[in-house]
Amino acid sequence: MKSIGIDLGGTNIKAGLVDKSGKILFKTSVPTESELGYKHVIEQIIKATTIVIEKDDDVVGIGIGAPGIVSAEEGTVKSPPNIPGWKKVNLGKILSDKFGKKVFVENDANAAAIGEYIFGAGKTTKSFIMVTLGTGVGGGIIYDGKLFRGETGGAGEIGHVTINYKGRKCNCGSYGCIETYVGNQRIVEKVKREIKSNPDSKVVELAGEKLETLSPKTLYDAAKLGDEYAIKAIEDIAVMLGAAFASTVNLLDISTIILGGGVSGFGNFLLTPLKKNLKERVLAPNRPRVKIKLSKLKNDAGIKGASSLAFYHS
Ligand SMILES: [Zn+2]
C-alpha cells in the first residue's frame, strides 16, 4: 500500500510517495511562490502532486498537511499565514476532482501527530500529545487511537498554553503563551538580550561578533563545547516546556509526550532537565507514568505526516 503526502510550507511545497512503513519511495519539491497569489499556490500544489502521481498512481489516497485553519470534514483550508489572498479554499475537492483519488486535508500539527501514530514514536502508544518545536509550537492529541479534534477541530493548541499570565503578548492576543518563550525567533531574541552579560560565551564565537548566524542550534553547538551560558539557556527552555507539558498532562491524563522539531534535537541538554521538571510538576499519580519520546519521523516529517492521513482513514 502506498499513499501521497503533500506538505504545504511557506517556502516550498514538498510531495512524496510513501509506503505503509513510512518509507519515502520518491519525493519532489516545488517553490510555493506565495507572492504570486493564492491561485498560483494552488497551481503549484497541483504541479507537485502531478510529478509524484506520474511516477506511480497506485495509491490509497492523497494527504495534505496545511497551516491555517483546516476543516478536515470539508477539506477546506482557511487563511494560512503568509499566503496573501487565500481566504477559504476547498483543497480536498480541487485535488480529488483533478486526480480522482481520495484526498484528506489536515492541519499540519495534527498531520504530524497522525504520522507519529501510524509510522513513528506513537506506533506502540494509544494516547499521546505530539509537540513540534519550530517557529511556533504546534500540538496534536491522539487519544485512544484517534485524533482528538475538540468541538470545532481546534484542539491541541499547546503553543498557547499560558506559562505566565502577566507575560509577553502573544500573536493570539493572550499573554505569556509558551510559544512566546520557546518559538525559534523568541529563543534568538532572548539570547541576544542575555549575551550582553555573557560576552565570553562560545555562542558569540560560533554566531559571529554581531550574532549574524545565531539560531537555536547555535545554543546546542555551544553547549556541546561545554559553554555554561548555553547549557543554562537550554535548561531555561526545558523548565518552561516542563511547566506547559505538566499542565497539559494533568488536564488530559495523557502521560506520553512526543517531541519533534528543531529544538527537540538538543539531546540531554534539553531532555534531562525537561523530564525532571515535568515529573516534579505533574500530579503525583501521573509521576511514574509520564514520559517524553522523540519524534521518529525527523527529515521529511511533513511529507510522512501528510501521507499517513490516507493510511489512517483507510
Ligand atoms: Zn498565544
Side-chain angles (χ1 to χ4, degrees):
M1 255 212 299
K2 284 160 287 180
S3 80
I4 291 173
I6 300 161
D7 177 19
L8 174 56
T11 316
N12 292 298
I13 297 160
K14 296 178 187 162
L17 181 71
V18 181
D19 73 10
K20 189 76 201 278
S21 72
K23 195 173 153 211
I24 295 188
L25 305 171
F26 171 78
K27 66 174 174 178
T28 189
S29 172
V30 303
T32 310
E33 295 172 338
S34 56
E35 68 280 5
L36 299 178
Y38 80 96
K39 285 185 181 158
H40 179 74
V41 175
I42 296 169
E43 287 305 316
Q44 293 298 83
I45 295 170
I46 291 172
K47 187 173 164 188
T49 314
T50 306
I51 296 171
V52 179
I53 220 159
E54 278 177 354
K55 280 268 164 197
D56 188 347
D57 72 348
D58 181 22
V59 294
V60 290
I62 299 170
I64 309 168
I69 305 158
V70 172
S71 164
E73 213 172 295
E74 296 174 6
T76 54
V77 180
K78 255 202 265 179
S79 323
N82 311 321
I83 306 182
W86 181 310
K87 291 196 178 81
K88 186 175 176 183
V89 173
N90 196 327
L91 264 189
K93 186 169 172 1
I94 292 172
L95 295 185
S96 63
D97 286 352
K98 173 89 189 160
F99 297 107
K101 302 282 178 196
K102 283 185 187 163
V103 178
F104 306 95
V105 187
E106 194 61 77
N107 159 288
D108 46 12
N110 284 343
I114 293 176
E116 292 297 335
Y117 181 64
I118 301 286
F119 308 131
K123 242 169 125 173
T124 52
T125 317
K126 287 199 97 179
S127 303
F128 62 87
I129 302 159
M130 171 74 205
V131 182
T132 307
L133 303 171
T135 312
V137 177
I141 299 164
I142 300 289
Y143 177 66
D144 203 20
K146 288 208 172 72
L147 178 71
F148 177 77
R149 296 180 186 281
E151 290 185 359
T152 63
E157 290 286 355
I158 196 165
H160 301 285
V161 166
T162 294
I163 57 165
N164 177 0
Y165 79 100
K166 287 180 176 171
R168 52 165 71 205
K169 184 137 195 201
C170 180
N171 291 335
C172 75
S174 183
Y175 295 85
C177 299
I178 181 73
E179 185 168 294
T180 66
Y181 297 96
V182 305
N184 285 345
Q185 207 45 43
R186 300 310 184 107
I187 294 175
V188 168
E189 285 165 17
K190 177 170 177 276
V191 173
K192 281 186 174 165
R193 280 197 308 274
E194 293 175 348
I195 212 72
K196 290 176 190 138
S197 3
N198 298 275
D200 298 331
S201 164
K202 294 269 186 224
V203 169
V204 181
E205 208 177 297
L206 293 170
E209 198 69 21
K210 289 187 181 133
L211 302 177
E212 50 271 25
T213 64
L214 180 67
S215 75
K217 189 172 176 291
T218 319
L219 278 182
Y220 179 50
D221 293 337
K224 281 192 288 187
L225 297 170
D227 186 73
E228 272 178 39
Y229 165 72
I231 292 170
K232 175 71 175 58
I234 295 176
E235 203 179 302
D236 288 350
I237 296 170
V239 174
M240 293 187 280
L241 287 174
F245 294 174
S247 299
T248 315
V249 168
N250 288 339
L251 180 70
L252 298 172
D253 186 24
I254 293 176
S255 57
T256 301
I257 289 180
I258 300 178
L259 261 193
V263 171
S264 71
F266 283 8
N268 284 333
F269 294 113
L270 180 81
L271 291 178
T272 306
L274 174 54
K275 285 175 183 164
K276 179 173 175 283
N277 272 279
L278 177 57
K279 275 210 159 112
E280 280 170 4
R281 286 162 192 264
V282 293
L283 295 170
N286 288 328
R287 264 170 225 157
R289 297 189 301 129
V290 78
K291 52 177 160 306
I292 306 255
K293 290 182 171 184
L294 290 178
S295 155
K296 280 196 181 157
L297 300 191
K298 302 219 164 94
N299 296 333
D300 299 312
I303 293 178
K304 290 175 193 167
S307 74
S308 73
L309 300 171
F311 295 126
Y312 174 76
H313 289 285
S314 56

